[in-house]
Amino acid sequence: MSAALQNTGPMLQVERLCKRFGALAATDEASFALHRGEIHALIGPNGAGKTTLIHQLSGALRPDSGRVLLDGQDLTPLGMAGRVAAGLVRSFQITSIFKRLSVRDNIALGLQARRPGLPNLWRRASAERALQEQAEALLELCGLAARADELAGSLAHGEQRQLEVGLALAAQPRLLLLDEPMAGMGPDESERMVLLLQRLRAEQGLTLLLVEHDMDAVFRLADRISTLVFGRIIASGTPQEIREHPEVRRAYLGDEASDEMEAAL
């Protein structure tokens, strides 16, 4: 991790989040911190509680106890809309785009949605030149400028995920939560997504929290990694520290996954 990252205080603080569903503790005093400008990965086996934790961070699910703070602001009482307004934006594991609209119009509508209270949002989105210029810039950033006039539903799966990232960026996040952005992708599509996320951090200074099962992508992208097992964060650290952590290797990775980590590093 760079010295700049080490010298900044936490941007996101997750403090002892608990969520129970009957006898099941989906998150059990889960705590970790994320620093401004870093890519932080959250890993763990199926059923570890990652989705429940992301729901609590995004405001889709209220914790039973604990807090979520963004730059010191307590977001815990806020729903999803309030957290988006505060700068915390989430993309979802299942692609969510407007498939019958063009790629450009998807982004234009995402940008227009930042402006509440305007009648006839679609007409305003099409007419405002400044908004269209912003849309073009986002399409270029996401690698979709050449596909701008095509229907979003005609894009390949990986391109639809790139468009979804563009829609999330239209909300002008300070912190972007990405829920398995490589899910269902082939190697070439995953490589394009890795490059896009690296570009967002390097050129836009965006802070990212990444939930991902692709270990190669995780270890290429992450400055820090937190490992969730049975609802608890059992370790947080650099990729090298996580790779060597005995509890992580025992509880989550196993021999086969450990070999995958060796190859990724």
Side-chain angles (χ1 to χ4, degrees):
M1 187 187 304
S2 69
L5 293 179
Q6 292 176 356
N7 292 335
T8 59
M11 180 182 192
L12 178 73
Q13 291 175 277
V14 180
E15 298 182 350
R16 303 180 69 175
L17 284 188
C18 294
K19 186 65 183 180
R20 301 189 71 89
F21 299 99
L24 173 66
T27 53
D28 187 4
E29 299 206 356
S31 300
F32 68 96
L34 189 153
H35 292 262
R36 183 174 289 98
E38 78 175 0
I39 298 178
H40 193 118
L42 179 66
I43 65 172
N46 291 331
K50 299 187 299 298
T51 297
T52 300
L53 180 55
I54 289 296
H55 283 336
Q56 291 173 86
L57 298 183
S58 68
L61 188 64
R62 184 69 58 88
D64 296 329
S65 60
R67 298 195 304 168
V68 178
L69 296 96
L70 183 66
D71 284 330
Q73 178 187 358
D74 189 354
L75 302 185
T76 315
L78 303 180
M80 293 185 71
R83 298 188 193 202
V84 170
L88 191 155
V89 177
R90 174 190 179 179
S91 75
F92 289 84
Q93 182 178 357
I94 300 174
T95 304
S96 180
I97 59 176
F98 304 105
K99 292 189 176 183
R100 296 186 180 183
L101 300 180
S102 73
V103 173
R104 177 185 285 108
D105 290 343
N106 266 263
I107 297 295
L109 280 176
L111 289 166
Q112 185 67 72
R114 297 203 317 258
R115 306 179 182 185
L118 290 177
N120 201 341
L121 297 181
W122 176 237
R123 183 176 301 168
R124 292 294 297 269
S126 298
E128 293 181 14
R129 178 148 184 92
L131 184 145
Q132 291 294 337
E133 289 175 354
Q134 290 177 315
E136 295 296 333
L138 279 178
L139 289 169
E140 182 67 33
L141 177 64
C142 294
L144 294 172
R147 310 293 300 274
D149 295 318
E150 299 182 31
L151 290 180
S154 70
L155 298 179
H157 173 69
E159 293 171 320
Q160 291 189 17
R161 299 308 298 249
Q162 291 169 238
L163 177 57
E164 188 181 35
V165 171
L167 282 169
L169 294 174
Q172 295 186 327
R174 290 189 290 141
L175 170 59
L176 180 58
L177 310 182
L178 295 168
D179 191 358
E180 298 195 28
M182 285 79 167
M185 290 188 181
D188 291 342
E189 293 175 321
S190 293
E191 177 66 18
R192 284 193 291 272
M193 181 60 72
V194 166
L195 295 175
L196 171 57
L197 300 184
Q198 289 174 331
R199 187 178 182 187
L200 292 181
R201 197 266 296 276
E203 298 182 10
Q204 306 297 312
L206 193 59
T207 306
L208 303 171
L209 177 61
L210 172 72
V211 178
E212 184 54 57
H213 284 290
D214 185 333
M215 283 295 159
D216 179 66
V218 165
F219 282 94
R220 286 180 61 189
L221 286 166
D223 298 294
R224 291 177 60 81
I225 299 171
S226 292
T227 306
L228 188 72
V229 175
F230 297 124
R232 280 185 172 267
I233 300 290
I234 64 169
S236 290
T238 65
Q240 187 67 25
E241 289 169 342
I242 293 300
R243 174 190 175 193
E244 297 173 352
H245 197 288
E247 190 175 358
V248 172
R249 297 177 76 98
R250 278 196 310 271
Y252 168 55
L253 295 167
D255 293 337
E256 181 178 348
S258 295
D259 292 341
E260 184 180 351
M261 290 180 72
E262 298 279 356
L265 292 176

